[in-house]
Amino acid sequence: MAKISKTNAMRILDKEKIEYKIYTYDISDDMTDGISVALKTGKMVEEVYKTLVTQGLSKTYYVFVIPVDKELDLKKIATLTKEKKIDMIPMKDLLNITGYIKGGCSPVGMKKLFQTFFHKDIINLHSITVSGGKVGMQIELSPNDLINVTKAHTGDLIK
């Protein structure tokens, strides 16, 4: 088996002594949407979460982590963050803001620890799978460990 080079997310989890499993998947078919990733890694769709980065009217960045088959509710999250308005950041800004690219954006190990929220259903899961910090790589870990390492909150985030 080829040695997997550690991503920033994995280095942080290692440093915090948090157990995780690594899943890699083929990206040559360009099928890197969340549902395809769940199928490729043999995970149930409701256990695989995507990481979305937003910016409020106040210019504050927020990270929202929701099930891959759901849509972020911008009105709910504006209320939750006490922002008048909140929008997704432009995709071209993702790398500069987070250090990650589309399809490889992990809630762990961004350039800064942004205020992070997980959809409330995370607490009902035995494990959660999120991007490992690179396209083609997912990490599975305990929801509690993920919440703790990202200093996150939970809330109702989806439509």
Side-chain angles (χ1 to χ4, degrees):
M1 188 174 134
K3 180 160 171 24
I4 292 176
S5 59
K6 297 273 180 164
T7 63
N8 204 32
M10 292 173 203
R11 284 190 285 276
I12 288 169
L13 295 174
D14 290 344
K15 187 173 145 267
E16 297 293 326
K17 297 185 177 20
I18 293 173
E19 281 184 36
Y20 61 95
K21 282 187 202 147
I22 302 169
Y23 294 87
T24 57
Y25 58 94
D26 180 29
I27 58 171
S28 63
D29 59 3
D30 287 331
M31 299 290 288
T32 55
D33 63 279
I35 294 171
S36 295
V37 170
L39 292 169
K40 289 180 181 188
T41 55
K43 297 269 140 215
M44 292 194 312
V45 170
E46 46 281 351
E47 293 176 346
V48 181
Y49 277 50
K50 59 187 171 186
T51 304
L52 304 171
V53 184
T54 64
Q55 188 175 31
L57 216 49
S58 69
K59 298 292 180 216
T60 302
Y61 293 110
Y62 301 95
V63 176
F64 294 94
V65 189
I66 65 171
V68 293
D69 62 338
K70 302 294 186 226
E71 197 180 333
L72 191 60
D73 187 321
L74 296 175
K75 283 188 173 54
K76 282 182 186 175
I77 65 170
T79 303
L80 188 66
T81 57
K82 296 176 179 51
E83 290 278 358
K84 285 196 186 340
K85 187 176 189 306
I86 199 163
D87 286 302
M88 297 295 295
I89 62 166
M91 202 49 67
K92 65 178 176 41
D93 298 342
L94 187 65
L95 179 62
N96 194 30
I97 293 165
T98 67
Y100 290 128
I101 62 168
K102 181 182 188 292
C105 188
S106 179
V108 181
M110 291 188 185
K111 286 183 174 180
K112 287 188 184 146
L113 187 60
F114 298 111
Q115 199 172 347
T116 302
F117 297 84
F118 288 92
H119 184 61
K120 62 183 172 53
D121 293 350
I122 187 178
I123 58 174
N124 303 323
L125 298 175
H126 172 67
S127 70
I128 181 172
T129 303
V130 294
S131 173
K134 189 170 142 187
V135 181
M137 189 176 290
Q138 295 283 104
I139 50 176
E140 176 186 3
L141 65 162
S142 131
N144 284 339
D145 285 343
L146 189 55
I147 289 169
N148 290 337
V149 77
T150 56
K151 298 181 175 28
H153 308 278
T154 59
D156 183 8
L157 311 177
I158 58 177
K159 289 186 176 177

